[in-house]
Coordinates of all heavy atoms in Angstrom, one line a residue:
E67 N -47.8 -125.6 174.1 CA -48.6 -125.7 175.3 C -49.1 -124.2 175.5 O -48.5 -123.4 176.3 CB -47.9 -126.1 176.5 CG -48.8 -126.2 177.8 CD -50.1 -126.9 177.4 OE1 -50.1 -128.1 177.0 OE2 -51.2 -126.3 177.6
R69 N -51.5 -122.4 176.8 CA -51.9 -121.9 178.1 C -50.7 -121.4 178.9 O -50.7 -120.3 179.5 CB -52.8 -122.8 178.9 CG -54.1 -123.3 178.2 CD -55.0 -124.1 179.1 NE -54.3 -125.1 179.7 CZ -54.2 -125.5 181.0 NH1 -54.8 -124.7 181.9 NH2 -53.5 -126.5 181.5
L70 N -49.8 -122.3 179.0 CA -48.6 -122.0 179.9 C -47.8 -120.9 179.2 O -47.2 -120.0 179.8 CB -47.7 -123.3 180.0 CG -46.6 -123.2 181.0 CD1 -47.0 -122.8 182.4 CD2 -45.8 -124.5 181.0
S250 N -45.4 -125.6 185.2 CA -45.9 -126.7 184.4 C -47.4 -126.6 184.1 O -48.1 -125.8 184.9 CB -45.6 -128.1 185.0 OG -46.4 -128.2 186.3
A251 N -47.9 -127.3 183.2 CA -49.3 -127.3 182.8 C -49.7 -128.6 182.2 O -48.9 -129.2 181.5 CB -49.6 -126.2 181.9
L252 N -50.8 -129.1 182.5 CA -51.4 -130.3 181.8 C -52.0 -129.9 180.5 O -52.6 -128.9 180.4 CB -52.3 -131.0 182.6 CG -51.9 -131.5 184.0 CD1 -53.1 -132.2 184.7 CD2 -50.6 -132.4 184.0
S253 N -51.8 -130.7 179.4 CA -52.5 -130.4 178.2 C -53.9 -130.9 178.3 O -54.2 -132.1 178.4 CB -51.8 -131.2 177.0 OG -50.5 -130.7 176.9
I254 N -54.9 -129.9 178.3 CA -56.3 -130.3 178.4 C -57.1 -129.8 177.2 O -56.6 -128.9 176.5 CB -56.8 -129.7 179.8 CG1 -56.7 -128.1 179.7 CG2 -56.1 -130.3 181.0 CD1 -57.3 -127.4 180.9
P255 N -58.3 -130.4 177.1 CA -59.1 -129.9 175.9 C -59.5 -128.4 176.2 O -59.5 -128.0 177.4 CB -60.4 -130.8 176.0 CG -59.9 -132.0 176.8 CD -58.9 -131.5 177.7
Y331 N -50.0 -117.8 187.9 CA -50.2 -118.9 187.0 C -51.0 -120.0 187.6 O -51.8 -120.8 186.9 CB -48.9 -119.3 186.4 CG -48.4 -120.7 186.9 CD1 -48.6 -121.8 186.1 CD2 -47.9 -120.9 188.1 CE1 -48.1 -123.0 186.5 CE2 -47.4 -122.1 188.6 CZ -47.5 -123.2 187.8 OH -47.2 -124.3 188.3
R332 N -50.7 -120.3 188.9 CA -51.3 -121.4 189.6 C -52.8 -121.4 189.5 O -53.5 -122.4 189.1 CB -50.8 -121.5 191.1 CG -51.4 -122.7 191.7 CD -51.0 -122.8 193.2 NE -51.6 -124.0 193.8 CZ -51.0 -125.1 194.0 NH1 -49.8 -125.3 193.7 NH2 -51.7 -126.0 194.6
Q333 N -53.4 -120.2 189.8 CA -54.8 -120.1 189.9 C -55.4 -120.3 188.4 O -56.4 -121.0 188.2 CB -55.2 -118.8 190.4 CG -56.8 -118.6 190.5 CD -57.2 -117.3 191.2 OE1 -56.3 -116.6 191.8 NE2 -58.4 -117.0 191.1
E334 N -54.8 -119.5 187.5 CA -55.4 -119.5 186.1 C -55.2 -120.9 185.4 O -56.1 -121.4 184.7 CB -54.8 -118.4 185.3 CG -55.0 -117.1 185.9 CD -54.6 -115.9 185.0 OE1 -54.3 -116.1 183.8 OE2 -54.4 -114.8 185.5
I335 N -54.0 -121.5 185.6 CA -53.8 -122.8 185.0 C -54.5 -123.8 185.6 O -55.1 -124.8 185.0 CB -52.3 -123.1 185.0 CG1 -51.4 -122.1 184.1 CG2 -52.0 -124.5 184.6 CD1 -51.7 -122.2 182.6
Y336 N -54.5 -123.9 187.0 CA -55.2 -125.0 187.7 C -56.7 -125.0 187.7 O -57.3 -126.1 187.7 CB -54.7 -124.9 189.2 CG -53.4 -125.5 189.4 CD1 -52.3 -125.4 188.6 CD2 -53.1 -126.2 190.6 CE1 -51.1 -125.9 188.8 CE2 -51.8 -126.7 190.9 CZ -50.8 -126.6 189.9 OH -49.6 -127.1 190.1
E337 N -57.3 -123.8 187.5 CA -58.8 -123.8 187.4 C -59.2 -124.6 186.2 O -60.2 -125.3 186.2 CB -59.3 -122.3 187.4 CG -59.3 -121.7 188.7 CD -59.8 -120.3 188.7 OE1 -60.1 -119.8 187.5 OE2 -60.0 -119.7 189.7
G338 N -58.5 -124.3 185.0 CA -58.9 -125.0 183.8 C -58.7 -126.5 183.9 O -59.5 -127.3 183.4
E339 N -57.6 -127.0 184.5 CA -57.3 -128.4 184.8 C -58.3 -129.0 185.7 O -58.7 -130.1 185.3 CB -55.9 -128.5 185.3 CG -54.7 -128.1 184.4 CD -53.4 -128.2 185.0 OE1 -53.4 -128.6 186.2 OE2 -52.4 -127.8 184.4
Y340 N -58.7 -128.3 186.7 CA -59.7 -128.8 187.6 C -61.0 -129.1 186.9 O -61.6 -130.2 187.1 CB -59.9 -127.9 188.8 CG -60.8 -128.3 189.9 CD1 -60.3 -129.3 190.8 CD2 -62.1 -127.9 190.0 CE1 -61.1 -129.8 191.9 CE2 -62.9 -128.4 191.0 CZ -62.5 -129.3 192.0 OH -63.3 -129.7 192.9
R341 N -61.5 -128.2 186.1 CA -62.7 -128.4 185.3 C -62.6 -129.6 184.4 O -63.5 -130.4 184.3 CB -63.0 -127.1 184.6 CG -63.5 -125.9 185.4 CD -64.1 -124.9 184.6 NE -63.2 -124.3 183.7 CZ -62.4 -123.2 184.0 NH1 -62.5 -122.7 185.1 NH2 -61.6 -122.8 183.0
S342 N -61.5 -129.7 183.7 CA -61.3 -130.8 182.8 C -61.2 -132.1 183.5 O -61.8 -133.2 183.0 CB -60.0 -130.6 181.9 OG -60.2 -129.5 181.0
L343 N -60.6 -132.2 184.7 CA -60.4 -133.5 185.4 C -61.8 -133.9 186.0 O -62.0 -135.1 186.2 CB -59.4 -133.3 186.5 CG -57.9 -133.2 186.1 CD1 -57.0 -132.7 187.2 CD2 -57.4 -134.5 185.5
S344 N -62.7 -132.9 186.3 CA -63.9 -133.2 186.8 C -65.0 -133.6 185.8 O -66.1 -134.0 186.2 CB -64.5 -132.0 187.6 OG -63.6 -131.6 188.6
T345 N -64.6 -133.5 184.5 CA -65.6 -133.8 183.4 C -65.0 -134.9 182.6 O -63.8 -135.0 182.2 CB -65.7 -132.5 182.5 OG1 -66.0 -131.4 183.3 CG2 -66.8 -132.8 181.4
H347 N -63.8 -137.2 179.7 CA -63.3 -137.0 178.4 C -62.9 -138.4 177.8 O -61.7 -138.8 178.0 CB -62.1 -136.0 178.3 CG -62.5 -134.6 178.6 ND1 -62.6 -134.1 179.9 CD2 -62.8 -133.6 177.8 CE1 -62.9 -132.9 179.9 NE2 -63.1 -132.5 178.6
F357 N -55.2 -136.3 176.3 CA -56.0 -136.3 177.6 C -57.2 -137.2 177.5 O -58.1 -136.9 176.7 CB -56.4 -134.8 177.9 CG -57.0 -134.6 179.2 CD1 -56.3 -134.5 180.3 CD2 -58.4 -134.6 179.4 CE1 -56.7 -134.3 181.6 CE2 -58.9 -134.4 180.6 CZ -58.2 -134.3 181.8
C359 N -59.8 -139.0 180.2 CA -60.3 -138.9 181.6 C -61.6 -139.6 181.8 O -62.6 -139.0 181.1 CB -60.2 -137.5 182.2 SG -60.7 -137.3 183.9
R385 N -50.6 -135.5 179.3 CA -49.3 -134.9 178.9 C -49.0 -133.6 179.8 O -50.0 -132.8 180.0 CB -49.3 -134.5 177.5 CG -48.2 -133.7 176.9 CD -48.4 -133.4 175.5 NE -47.4 -132.5 174.9 CZ -47.5 -131.2 174.7 NH1 -48.6 -130.6 175.1 NH2 -46.5 -130.6 174.2
E386 N -47.9 -133.6 180.3 CA -47.5 -132.4 181.1 C -46.2 -131.7 180.5 O -45.3 -132.4 180.1 CB -47.2 -132.8 182.5 CG -46.7 -131.6 183.5 CD -46.2 -132.1 184.8 OE1 -45.8 -133.3 184.9 OE2 -46.3 -131.3 185.7
V387 N -46.2 -130.4 180.4 CA -45.2 -129.7 179.9 C -44.5 -128.9 181.1 O -45.3 -128.2 181.8 CB -45.6 -128.6 178.8 CG1 -44.4 -127.8 178.5 CG2 -46.1 -129.4 177.6
F430 N -57.6 -138.9 189.7 CA -58.0 -137.6 190.2 C -59.1 -137.9 191.3 O -60.1 -138.7 191.0 CB -58.6 -136.7 189.1 CG -59.2 -135.4 189.7 CD1 -58.4 -134.4 190.2 CD2 -60.6 -135.4 189.6 CE1 -59.1 -133.3 190.6 CE2 -61.2 -134.2 190.0 CZ -60.4 -133.1 190.6
R510 N -50.6 -133.0 192.4 CA -51.1 -131.7 191.9 C -52.3 -131.4 192.8 O -53.3 -132.1 192.8 CB -51.5 -131.7 190.4 CG -51.2 -130.5 189.7 CD -51.1 -130.8 188.2 NE -51.0 -129.6 187.4 CZ -49.9 -129.0 187.1 NH1 -48.7 -129.5 187.5 NH2 -49.9 -127.9 186.3
I511 N -52.2 -130.3 193.5 CA -53.2 -130.0 194.6 C -54.2 -128.8 194.1 O -53.6 -127.8 193.7 CB -52.5 -129.6 195.9 CG1 -51.4 -130.5 196.3 CG2 -53.6 -129.4 197.0 CD1 -51.9 -132.0 196.6
Y512 N -55.4 -129.2 194.0 CA -56.4 -128.1 193.7 C -57.2 -127.8 194.9 O -58.2 -128.4 195.2 CB -57.3 -128.7 192.6 CG -56.5 -129.2 191.3 CD1 -56.1 -130.6 191.2 CD2 -56.2 -128.3 190.3 CE1 -55.4 -130.9 190.1 CE2 -55.5 -128.7 189.2 CZ -55.1 -130.1 189.1 OH -54.4 -130.5 188.0
M517 N -62.2 -125.3 194.8 CA -61.7 -126.5 194.3 C -61.4 -127.4 195.5 O -60.9 -126.9 196.6 CB -60.5 -126.2 193.5 CG -60.8 -125.4 192.1 SD -59.4 -125.4 191.1 CE -58.3 -124.2 191.9
L521 N -54.7 -134.7 192.3 CA -54.3 -135.5 191.2 C -53.0 -136.1 191.5 O -52.0 -135.5 191.8 CB -54.2 -134.7 189.9 CG -53.6 -135.4 188.7 CD1 -54.5 -136.6 188.2 CD2 -53.3 -134.5 187.5
Y523 N -50.1 -138.6 189.8 CA -49.9 -139.1 188.4 C -48.5 -139.4 188.3 O -47.6 -139.1 189.0 CB -50.3 -138.0 187.4 CG -49.6 -136.8 187.4 CD1 -48.5 -136.4 186.5 CD2 -49.8 -135.8 188.5 CE1 -47.8 -135.2 186.6 CE2 -49.1 -134.6 188.5 CZ -48.1 -134.3 187.5 OH -47.5 -133.2 187.7
E593 N -44.9 -130.8 195.0 CA -44.8 -129.5 194.3 C -44.7 -128.3 195.3 O -44.6 -127.2 195.0 CB -46.0 -129.3 193.4 CG -47.5 -129.3 194.3 CD -48.6 -128.9 193.4 OE1 -48.4 -128.7 192.1 OE2 -49.7 -128.8 193.9

Side-chain angles (χ1 to χ4, degrees):
E67 186 48 59
R69 295 189 311 130
L70 186 59
S250 68
L252 303 181
S253 297
I254 60 173
Y331 107 102
R332 181 182 177 99
Q333 180 176 352
E334 298 186 20
I335 293 291
Y336 280 36
E337 282 181 354
E339 295 176 1
Y340 185 77
R341 289 193 297 269
S342 293
L343 289 166
S344 303
T345 306
H347 291 84
F357 186 81
C359 180
R385 169 181 176 262
E386 181 190 20
V387 174
F430 174 72
R510 217 159 170 86
I511 311 299
Y512 303 94
M517 296 187 288
L521 173 66
Y523 63 104
E593 63 176 358

